[in-house]
Amino acid sequence: MTDPLTLQQLEAIEHDHVLPTYARLPVAIRAGAGSWLETVDGRRVLDLLCGLGVTSLGHCHPAVTKAIRDQADVLVHTGNLLHLEGPVRLAQRLATSSLGGGVFFANSGAEANEAAIKLARRHKRGGEILTVHRGFHGRTYGALSATPQEAKQEPFAPLVPGFRAVPATAEAVAGAIHDGTAAVLLETIQGESGVLPLDPELLRAARAACDEHGALLILDEVQTGVGRTGALWSHQAGDVVPDAMTVAKALANGLPIGALVTGPHLYDAFQPGDHGSTFAGGPVAAAAAHAVLDVVTGEGFLDRVHAAGARFRAGLEAIDGVASVRGRGLMLAAELEPDVVERHGSSAALATSLIVDQGVWLNAPSPTALRLLPPLTISDAEIDEGVARIAAGIAG
Ligand SMILES: *Cc1c(COP(=O)(O)O)cnc(C)c1O
């Protein structure tokens, strides 16, 4: 085997040929196993971000790798015009574990939300889509129009019409829902904006107002789903049942997949020809997702997520320079003391020094916070190691 390209060689090629949409960190990876990544120069990095909440069972989980390999030997693609057992059974599993209706498969979170937005408009024959400030639903035009963040939207105007955003309070949301509202699209915990849990009262108020005005409540579980918060689907820890939810990120532990899952009353909202996707619902991604669900729904797995989350939270809270910790399960953010932010310049600069100097990967969803989406399979020893490395980086 030839030597892998060095970081500098990679940066040079990328500079010429990769469109600069990502501010990449100065680290090049060649492999991963469990909670660890390996850099091209042979360093080990403790991965507390999982590619933004995707490789939730760790890198190259043996059961997922085996499922992908076995399926790749048999069949990789047919498209959606023929019957396939794996994806159909996956739909059955997603629906019966949550809302009990039907599933539309997509390839990403944004695409799952596009499907949800189309479903809502089809159901109401038009109508407004309501979101809340700091929500994030993806980068395609419909999903971006549902992402009320100036920096993300403004350069790409005009957006899709018929979207409206209000402050994330129960009063604002309830007051904004009317007979012309097609749907309210919400995250239970706003991930990209910094792990900001929505007030349960907001969810209840949205549910009640949606029922009153014939609007759909759609929960975006793209980041919170598949066990991340300690429940299989995060809304199951509360008392609000949505009409539909979207999932993606961790569902196939790294293969592209997304899904819109509806309640039974929406089973007929789409008709043949209304929506589609060439790659979506393929058998390899479905096989990976089955393997993921086997693990996450296994005996005691979600209890372990709670225990690991509690240990991580306690460890972070004890770090000198951490003001507070928020989140649920293994979806956490640490708010930094102002002097720590000032000393490092920003939480993003601190996150860069954490991966470069301390070999621990997490990110900065706001200028003052660090976000952790560690593997759900992380061990106690790895949690303690992560806390120690973060503490060393903050102190440094
Ligand atoms: C990541 C994310 C998306 C977008 O998913 P992509 O797969 O990047 O399109 C949508 N909603 C939420 C809540 C997310 O965290």
Side-chain angles (χ1 to χ4, degrees):
M1 217 174 83
T2 55
D3 283 344
L5 297 182
T6 64
L7 173 63
Q8 291 68 32
Q9 288 169 323
L10 280 170
E11 284 178 338
I13 299 172
E14 289 206 19
H15 177 268
D16 289 343
H17 299 295
V18 180
L19 297 181
T21 56
Y22 302 105
R24 288 204 220 272
L25 300 163
V27 177
I29 299 299
R30 69 175 168 203
S35 302
W36 298 84
L37 289 166
E38 188 188 327
T39 68
V40 293
D41 46 3
R43 289 190 316 126
R44 272 158 55 88
V45 172
L46 181 60
D47 183 353
L48 302 183
L49 195 61
C50 291
L52 294 163
V54 171
T55 51
S56 274
L57 300 187
H59 296 283
C60 304
H61 187 283
V64 179
T65 299
K66 181 174 187 318
I68 293 170
R69 268 208 196 108
D70 289 352
Q71 183 58 46
D73 269 339
V74 175
L75 184 73
V76 172
H77 178 85
T78 61
N80 280 301
L81 301 179
L82 304 171
H83 294 281
L84 285 174
E85 179 172 330
V88 167
R89 283 205 173 278
L90 180 62
Q92 180 182 40
R93 223 171 156 178
L94 289 172
T96 54
S97 72
S98 60
L99 306 176
V103 170
F104 175 84
F105 283 117
N107 304 286
S108 67
E111 281 183 54
N113 285 328
E114 293 292 336
I117 292 163
K118 284 183 73 172
L119 182 99
R121 286 260 170 87
R122 178 82 160 91
H123 178 70
K124 190 92 179 206
R125 309 249 170 257
E128 195 171 76
I129 309 290
L130 187 72
T131 62
V132 293
H133 294 169
R134 302 193 191 190
F136 179 86
H137 301 290
R139 305 281 195 154
T140 55
Y141 260 102
L144 178 65
S145 303
T147 296
Q149 299 179 27
E150 180 78 8
K152 292 187 174 71
Q153 289 187 335
E154 192 275 334
F156 302 103
L159 299 173
V160 180
F163 288 77
R164 177 175 170 206
V166 296
T169 67
E171 301 71 43
V173 169
I177 296 169
H178 51 85
D179 288 346
T181 307
V184 182
L185 178 59
L186 301 168
E187 299 154 89
T188 54
I189 302 173
Q190 297 180 318
E192 294 307 295
S193 290
V195 187
L196 308 173
L198 288 194
D199 181 358
E201 204 43 58
L202 187 163
L203 293 173
R204 275 181 227 122
R207 178 69 277 172
C210 282
D211 289 342
E212 189 186 335
H213 295 284
L216 302 182
L217 177 62
I218 302 171
L219 294 182
D220 178 341
E221 293 251 22
V222 167
Q223 191 163 146
T224 52
V226 203
R228 172 58 55 191
T229 66
L232 183 57
W233 313 111
S234 72
H235 70 265
Q236 292 175 333
D239 50 9
V240 167
V241 179
D243 297 290
M245 69 168 183
T246 52
V247 304
K249 289 200 164 92
L251 184 55
N253 210 50
L255 289 195
I257 192 168
L260 163 67
V261 186
T262 77
H265 55 297
L266 291 174
Y267 181 79
D268 291 330
F270 276 146
Q271 295 300 311
D274 275 349
H275 198 34
S277 166
T278 299
F279 290 118
V284 182
H290 277 294
V292 168
L293 290 176
D294 287 346
V295 174
V296 175
T297 61
E299 181 75 33
F301 187 87
L302 293 173
D303 293 336
R304 168 62 199 164
V305 173
H306 281 292
R311 188 182 187 91
F312 229 131
R313 177 184 286 270
L316 292 168
E317 280 169 349
I319 295 177
D320 200 20
V322 170
S324 62
V325 180
R326 59 181 177 263
R328 211 170 343 134
L330 283 169
M331 181 173 184
L332 298 170
E335 192 68 31
L336 301 166
E337 300 277 10
D339 66 297
V340 172
V341 176
E342 198 180 320
R343 199 166 65 247
H344 290 274
S346 68
S347 56
L350 173 59
T352 302
S353 92
L354 284 170
I355 189 170
V356 171
D357 302 325
Q358 304 293 338
V360 59
W361 189 32
L362 30 65
N363 85 335
S366 81
T368 58
L370 295 173
R371 173 175 52 166
L372 296 87
L373 300 168
L376 306 184
T377 49
I378 194 165
S379 70
D380 282 352
E382 288 166 340
I383 292 171
D384 298 348
E385 179 70 33
V387 168
R389 291 184 186 207
I390 294 166
I394 286 177

